[in-house]
Amino acid sequence: MPGPAEASAFSLDTEVDESSPLSERDQKMLALERQWWKYSGAKEQAVRELFDLSATHYYQILNALIDTEEALAHDPMLVKRLRRLRTSRQRARTARRLGTNA
């Protein structure tokens, strides 16, 4: 299990744009989504260390964030990718519930 030192390897302070309409937390959440895979350790541990949120609460906030025009303007490629991933996961869950291969 990763320790706090590994989660602290996520250096997101340089990602904040003061002129952005997004809050610092929102910008850091998008930065984490953009680069979390580059670091060792569990993403959930980094979420806990950086934002003091449970994984469930983090993803609830992230899903609301990627639906905003401000997030889309801030990082269009990332937000579109996250929206596509969310849609494909929703379709897969629906297909499993209905017992189809849609």
Side-chain angles (χ1 to χ4, degrees):
M1 183 162 195
E6 290 175 345
S8 298
F10 290 94
S11 177
L12 301 177
D13 292 332
T14 59
E15 301 291 333
V16 177
D17 177 5
E18 297 296 328
S19 65
S20 174
L22 294 176
S23 70
E24 180 178 339
R25 183 192 69 182
D26 291 348
Q27 290 182 53
K28 287 183 176 186
M29 288 177 80
L30 291 176
L32 176 62
E33 289 300 314
R34 189 179 320 110
Q35 62 188 355
W36 71 266
W37 50 270
K38 293 180 184 178
Y39 303 96
S40 64
K43 183 178 177 183
E44 288 76 17
Q45 180 66 28
V47 166
R48 174 73 64 195
E49 288 289 321
L50 293 169
F51 304 110
D52 195 30
L53 297 171
S54 69
T56 301
H57 194 200
Y58 171 81
Y59 286 113
Q60 289 170 342
I61 294 169
L62 179 65
N63 275 315
L65 174 61
I66 65 174
D67 286 333
T68 67
E69 290 300 315
E70 292 84 1
L72 185 62
H74 182 78
D75 196 336
M77 288 179 58
L78 173 68
V79 170
K80 288 177 183 177
R81 180 174 61 83
L82 293 173
R83 287 177 178 178
R84 278 193 313 272
L85 285 169
R86 179 180 62 187
T87 300
S88 68
R89 289 179 181 134
Q90 287 171 338
R91 286 184 182 146
R93 277 193 303 274
T94 300
R96 280 194 308 272
R97 257 186 264 133
L98 298 175
T100 64
N101 291 329

